[in-house]
Amino acid sequence: MKVLKFGGTSVGSVNSILSVKKIVEAVDEPVIVVVSALGGITDKLLHISGLASAGNKSYKKEFTEIVARHKTIVEGVIPKSKQAVALKKVMETLDELENIYRGVFLIKDLSAKTSDAIVSYGERLSSIIVSNVIKNAKLYDSRQFIKTHRQFNRHVVDFEQTNKLIRKAFKPVPKVALVPGFISSSMEDGEVTNLGRGGSDYTASIVAAALDASILEIWTDVDGFMTADPRVINSAYVIEHLSFTEAMELCNFGAKVIYPPTIYPVFHKNIPIKVCNTFNPNAPGTYISKETVKKETENEKKAIIKGISSINDTCLVTVQGLGMVGVIGVNYRIFRTLAKSGISVFMVSQASSENNTTFAVKNEDATLAVEVLNEEFAPERSRGEIEDIVAEKDLATVAIVGENMKRTPGIAGKLFGTLGRAGISVIACAQGASETNISFVIKLEYLRKALNSIHDSFFLSEYKMLNLFLAGVGTVGGHLLEQIKLQQKKLMTQNGVKLNVVGIANSKHMLMRREGLDLKTCLKDLKEKGQESSLALLRDEIIKMNIFNSVFIDCTSSEKIAGLYETLLNKNISIVAANKIAASSSYKNYQLLKETARKRGIKFLFETNVGAGLPIINTMNDLINSGDHILKLEAVLSGTVNFIFNTISEDIPLSKAIKMAVDAKYAEPDPRIDLSGKDVLRKLVILAREAGYPVEQKDVKTNLFIPQKYFKGSIDNFWEHIAELDAEFEEKRKELAAKNKRLRFVASMNSGACELGLMEVGSHHPFYELEGSNNIIMISTERYHDYPMIIKGYGAGADVTAAGVFADIISIANIR
């Protein structure tokens, strides 16, 4: 014999009730069907109660809507041959209800007893309808066999009496029994009571346990328990197998698939529960049992935890004071007082020093909890032994649940490490000795971020997600977007990493979308649909999104954008910068940014600041981290200047070579920016700092090959006079060519002393054959002393720079 329970959405429309009929009539053994009220009706009944008790005549209009809805359902699902009888019974029941509402309206009072009676009509009406739809269904009245007594202002099931009455009522069990859920009656006076919101699940469980059913099936509008709330986490998936303990923990902490008390009766009889979807009956659903399931899905095999649940209606109440230390019975008094007032506590956290006890309740219970506890501990408060009771609202409780957590080291460390890297502070936490649940309280505003971070960290998501904000979508930024678009699918399938571009911005506009932008159209969308942007708006929108695993990518050369780094790092947003300004700013600021990232457990990466896509900074860091010490650096770091010196010949003077560099886009439109050596100076400062030397820009000795006067005045003035240097450079070129030498603009660092200037290199020098706009660096260390390490290759160009930025992004995903 099976027990099947159908929720409000399952009996909420003509089509859904016809689906219920099909599901029940396909069962080839005796079945007891428990139904909830039509979807939304219970809320409607309570709403009308409020209107009537306030003397508001509009209750009548609202009531006519309930009547109309039930009549429509009857006409849509019950065969015409049975329709008149069924409709008569429904209308008689609705007349009873209308009379009760009329009485409430007249006396303008709504007692708890009357309210219980009113809400019972939802299930009474739905059960009449469904019993006339399913073939050979026999209708029962659950008030006759579900009995309750009062305990702490609540209706509690009397199992001894209830079980006897159920066995008597269902002896024998018919082919199809139809039972209204939720409803019960008092043992003391027989008045209508109920089992609480969600009580239809509980009704089904009580009946299943009393009659030793083979299985309890809960039919609802979802495919089963999910790893997290799918409204918050797109990648949440159905958990196919749960133990009773896991299901109970998830239910207690906010998973609304099953009413929490439902599990208790069937657990003791070892009756499995299966959660099924009325609208997708062929889905596997979630199977809940005592036994450990041997056959697990791939996701379940790799996941240490089964699921994440949360309660966003949380208030923490704290009782504290030095007078609590060593005093026996304080906690007894706390929880006795709360119980007497009917206040339910769902999490407790206590300091080992015994000087405070913190517990979580619903926000609606907080004021009463503080009031009764202040009264209970009034003598101690007057003596200063216990402080005034305080309540902190606008919080959320999160729980991670899983039997695999038992005796598995490092779970709590990983959990709190994940939250720390996301910038989320834990206010209180608790873990039982069973090790199947770790619960904690955080600010409500961080709930979405916390759920996503944990889901991602514990491999409950199919992919590890990085959420990217890109400032600067010009040459480098545009190439980066194209590279991400081309590699996205491969990274997902081969590395399990999903790069989600959630925001892009240029100097005037920005485009933000939490779910991710379409990389095929985002640049066009930015132009056509982007909102106006400013530095403050960009910062505020990024912070407001409060999204997990965030990375801010700076492909600008803006000093103002670089000024955002500290704020973003302090919000636990990693930084990847092609922009050199921050890393070459004051040494104090450089250190602050590096230290902030380290303390926050995030990344501040700027590999492309030197050598574009060449692995220079990473290589230096690897050397230092492995115990080596960098003594000396020599490098050609300006692709522009190297192109110029490689181009100068008998036929091509200096001025023409500079013009060719501009035309080939190796140089800026104003080439003085490149010829000033300022860009190379910044690169050298960054390298010296990464080598471990506290260098400032002013410490670098600079010997420019273009006299200072050419940097003054307009660009037109520069082009008019730069040819004056052609003869001098041609003479120098001939002199060096005769000696088989060439000129190179070299940045050097020797034990922290930095210098820029021209160097004459012979044919055996590694810099001699440096072609085009390539870069090269020689690194001398204690290990690589006689034979320095050399890194050489393309040191400029949007494509290779974008590739270097891309590599930094991937390194944050921890797949290298």
Side-chain angles (χ1 to χ4, degrees):
M1 184 271 293
K2 290 183 175 182
V3 175
L4 278 61
K5 179 266 175 179
F6 291 92
T9 52
S10 298
V11 294
S13 68
V14 170
N15 289 335
S16 62
I17 292 176
L18 292 176
S19 295
V20 170
K21 171 182 170 66
K22 186 177 179 181
I23 291 165
V24 174
E25 291 180 356
V27 179
D28 57 3
E29 60 182 298
V31 59
I32 296 175
V33 178
V34 179
V35 294
S36 297
L38 273 59
I41 288 296
T42 302
D43 287 334
K44 190 89 166 175
L45 292 171
L46 290 169
H47 174 62
I48 296 172
S49 297
L51 292 174
S53 65
N56 190 331
K57 291 182 179 180
S58 65
Y59 88 89
K60 295 179 181 179
K61 179 178 177 297
E62 298 276 352
F63 181 73
T64 59
E65 292 176 5
I66 286 184
V67 174
R69 183 174 175 194
H70 283 85
K71 286 178 70 175
T72 300
I73 294 290
V74 169
E75 291 164 359
V77 298
I78 297 177
K80 291 197 179 295
S81 59
K82 300 170 65 177
Q83 209 171 94
V85 175
L87 189 57
K88 181 175 182 292
K89 181 64 176 172
V90 167
M91 293 309 296
E92 287 174 354
T93 307
L94 285 166
D95 286 344
E96 289 177 20
L97 177 59
E98 185 178 22
N99 288 332
I100 296 174
Y101 276 135
R102 187 179 298 114
V104 171
F105 174 76
L106 290 172
I107 65 172
K108 295 182 178 58
D109 181 64
L110 180 67
S111 67
K113 183 186 292 188
T114 304
S115 181
D116 285 346
I118 288 172
V119 292
S120 73
Y121 279 87
E123 277 72 13
R124 289 169 62 186
L125 287 163
S126 66
S127 60
I128 292 170
I129 295 172
V130 178
S131 67
N132 280 278
V133 174
I134 298 171
K135 186 179 179 182
N136 298 324
K138 181 180 178 181
L139 180 60
Y140 287 75
D141 184 351
S142 51
R143 292 173 295 180
Q144 302 302 313
F145 47 80
I146 305 290
K147 295 294 180 178
T148 64
H149 60 267
R150 290 198 67 83
Q151 186 178 84
F152 298 125
N153 296 321
R154 297 176 186 270
H155 302 301
V156 178
V157 175
D158 185 297
F159 279 97
E160 184 178 354
Q161 186 71 12
T162 295
N163 288 338
K164 287 179 183 177
L165 292 171
I166 289 173
R167 294 184 188 112
K168 181 179 178 181
F170 291 93
K171 190 174 182 180
V173 178
K175 171 63 177 168
V176 180
L178 206 295
V179 176
F182 177 66
I183 311 168
S184 52
S185 63
S186 169
M187 281 184 59
E188 289 86 3
D189 55 19
E191 293 288 346
V192 177
T193 60
N194 64 67
L195 304 181
R197 296 302 295 266
S200 292
D201 289 351
Y202 196 21
T203 302
S205 179
I206 293 166
V207 172
L211 299 176
D212 294 316
S214 60
I215 191 168
L216 167 61
E217 294 182 0
I218 305 290
W219 289 83
T220 181
D221 58 357
V222 295
D223 285 342
F225 278 85
M226 303 196 74
T227 51
D229 188 341
R231 294 169 299 181
V232 177
I233 301 175
N234 294 332
S235 57
Y237 57 86
V238 174
I239 308 168
E240 294 191 13
H241 309 105
L242 284 172
S243 69
F244 282 119
T245 302
E246 290 170 333
M248 177 65 84
E249 295 284 10
L250 289 171
C251 288
N252 280 334
F253 283 90
K256 296 179 180 178
V257 181
I258 297 177
Y259 182 51
T262 303
I263 297 169
Y264 175 79
V266 292
F267 164 74
H268 285 284
K269 288 292 188 78
N270 197 20
I271 298 169
I273 303 173
K274 187 176 182 184
V275 180
C276 308
N277 190 343
T278 306
F279 308 97
N280 185 20
N282 295 322
T286 299
Y287 189 83
I288 305 167
S289 64
K290 270 187 181 179
E291 294 78 16
T292 302
V293 178
K294 293 181 180 179
K295 186 179 179 183
E296 293 182 306
T297 65
E298 286 303 311
N299 281 327
E300 287 172 336
K301 286 178 183 176
K302 69 179 182 180
I304 300 171
I305 65 175
K306 279 289 183 72
I308 312 164
S309 198
S310 61
I311 301 172
N312 57 14
D313 178 17
T314 297
C315 174
L316 279 184
V317 179
T318 299
V319 180
Q320 63 182 346
L322 294 178
M324 295 171 63
V325 178
V327 178
I328 297 172
V330 174
N331 283 341
Y332 165 72
R333 290 172 63 191
I334 291 172
F335 297 113
R336 180 194 62 188
T337 302
L338 295 172
K340 282 182 178 179
S341 301
I343 298 171
S344 177
V345 172
F346 53 82
M347 196 194 91
V348 180
S349 179
Q350 182 179 25
S352 58
S353 62
E354 298 183 302
N355 74 341
N356 71 74
T357 296
T358 298
F359 55 88
V361 297
K362 291 182 177 179
N363 283 301
E364 65 182 22
D365 292 331
T367 302
L368 178 59
V370 170
E371 182 181 318
V372 297
L373 288 173
N374 273 329
E375 184 178 337
E376 170 68 23
F377 291 99
E380 288 85 354
R381 288 170 49 235
S382 68
R383 296 193 297 269
E385 295 171 359
I386 290 181
E387 299 173 20
D388 288 348
I389 315 302
V390 294
E392 184 177 0
K393 297 185 177 181
D394 297 322
L395 305 175
T397 305
V398 181
I400 63 169
V401 173
E403 296 271 14
N404 291 342
M405 291 163 56
K406 289 180 181 177
R407 293 172 292 281
T408 302
I411 303 299
K414 184 173 182 178
L415 170 64
F416 295 121
T418 296
L419 294 170
R421 286 190 297 276
I424 300 169
S425 177
V426 173
I427 301 169
C429 63
Q431 180 181 17
S434 66
E435 297 186 80
T436 56
N437 172 313
I438 301 176
S439 48
F440 57 92
V441 177
I442 57 175
K443 289 185 177 179
L444 181 59
E445 64 186 282
Y446 293 120
L447 178 59
R448 175 187 286 269
K449 190 176 185 181
L451 294 176
N452 277 282
S453 298
I454 297 166
H455 202 268
D456 189 72
S457 178
F458 281 90
F459 303 106
L460 294 180
S461 298
E462 187 176 359
Y463 309 110
K464 179 179 178 62
M465 182 89 77
L466 282 186
N467 292 296
L468 311 179
F469 298 93
L470 173 61
V473 292
T475 313
V476 174
H479 276 80
L480 176 62
L481 287 172
E482 184 64 24
Q483 289 175 11
I484 292 174
K485 183 177 74 175
L486 293 174
Q487 284 293 104
Q488 211 163 32
K489 188 174 181 180
K490 183 179 178 182
L491 287 170
M492 289 166 67
T493 54
Q494 293 188 9
N495 302 101
V497 172
K498 183 176 181 181
L499 300 182
N500 191 37
V501 180
V502 295
I504 58 174
N506 57 24
S507 59
K508 296 180 179 179
H509 297 94
M510 62 181 173
L511 188 67
M512 302 282 180
R513 186 170 182 266
R514 174 180 284 276
E515 295 75 21
L517 301 173
D518 184 345
L519 298 187
K520 294 178 182 176
T521 62
C522 64
L523 293 178
K524 180 183 176 185
D525 293 341
L526 175 65
K527 187 177 180 181
E528 297 176 355
K529 304 175 186 177
Q531 66 184 94
E532 286 191 16
S533 179
S534 66
L535 197 70
L537 281 173
L538 177 64
R539 176 200 63 210
D540 293 346
E541 283 297 313
I542 292 171
I543 293 171
K544 187 171 77 174
M545 194 176 288
N546 197 25
I547 200 165
F548 77 112
N549 286 359
S550 304
V551 183
F552 179 76
I553 306 157
D554 182 5
C555 288
T556 74
S557 57
S558 166
E559 186 173 355
K560 291 181 178 180
I561 293 291
L564 294 177
Y565 293 1
E566 183 184 353
T567 300
L568 297 178
L569 288 169
N570 276 310
K571 293 295 181 179
N572 286 72
I573 299 171
S574 291
I575 304 286
V576 172
N579 186 344
K580 304 176 189 68
I581 290 174
S584 63
S585 62
S586 71
Y587 185 75
K588 182 180 179 181
N589 187 57
Y590 161 84
Q591 280 287 77
L592 174 65
L593 297 177
K594 298 264 287 187
E595 186 64 13
T596 302
R598 187 189 68 78
K599 285 182 177 178
R600 293 277 177 175
I602 53 176
K603 299 291 185 182
F604 171 40
L605 303 177
F606 42 88
E607 178 64 74
T608 56
N609 280 193
V610 182
L614 294 177
I616 296 172
I617 292 175
N618 277 334
T619 302
M620 290 172 58
N621 287 334
D622 288 344
L623 289 170
I624 292 169
N625 291 337
S626 66
D628 205 349
H629 183 62
I630 295 174
L631 305 173
K632 183 178 180 182
L633 300 171
E634 287 184 298
V636 175
L637 299 173
S638 172
T640 303
V641 176
N642 197 54
F643 174 85
I644 291 168
F645 283 124
N646 280 334
T647 304
I648 294 174
S649 67
E650 189 174 350
D651 301 319
I652 303 175
L654 172 68
S655 59
K656 186 176 180 180
I658 295 172
K659 186 68 172 65
M660 290 171 68
V662 173
D663 293 342
K665 296 187 177 179
Y666 287 126
E668 297 291 335
D670 184 348
R672 292 176 297 179
I673 295 171
D674 299 284
L675 297 172
S676 69
K678 190 169 184 179
D679 188 59
V680 177
L681 184 148
R682 283 177 172 159
K683 292 176 181 178
L684 179 58
V685 167
I686 292 168
L687 289 177
R689 289 173 175 178
E690 291 296 290
Y693 301 95
V695 174
E696 300 283 3
Q697 289 191 31
K698 62 182 177 60
D699 299 331
V700 180
K701 184 178 179 183
T702 304
N703 302 302
L704 298 181
F705 58 91
I706 301 291
Q708 192 62 40
K709 67 177 184 177
Y710 292 96
F711 295 97
K712 298 176 181 179
S714 67
I715 181 64
D716 291 333
N717 189 62
F718 170 81
W719 286 119
E720 184 179 341
H721 294 283
I722 190 62
E724 296 167 359
L725 297 176
D726 287 351
E728 178 185 339
F729 270 84
E730 175 55 19
E731 184 179 341
K732 186 68 174 176
R733 184 197 67 78
K734 286 181 179 178
E735 179 187 332
L736 292 175
K739 299 177 183 177
N740 203 19
K741 289 185 176 182
R742 291 176 180 171
L743 278 178
R744 294 288 181 251
F745 188 59
V746 176
S748 62
M749 186 281 295
N750 193 339
S751 299
C754 298
E755 186 173 356
L756 298 180
L758 290 180
M759 177 187 287
E760 299 175 6
V761 297
S763 58
H764 296 294
H765 195 284
F767 294 178
Y768 184 84
E769 296 290 352
L770 192 63
E771 298 177 353
S773 61
N774 285 359
N775 283 190
I776 189 170
I777 183 169
M778 292 198 305
I779 306 172
S780 299
T781 73
E782 290 177 348
R783 294 175 187 157
Y784 294 87
H785 189 267
D786 295 329
Y787 299 96
M789 180 182 290
I790 296 175
I791 302 171
K792 175 181 176 182
Y794 288 119
D799 201 36
V800 292
T801 303
V805 172
F806 199 170
D808 273 351
I809 295 168
I810 296 303
S811 72
I812 293 175
N814 294 321
I815 64 169
R816 288 206 307 190

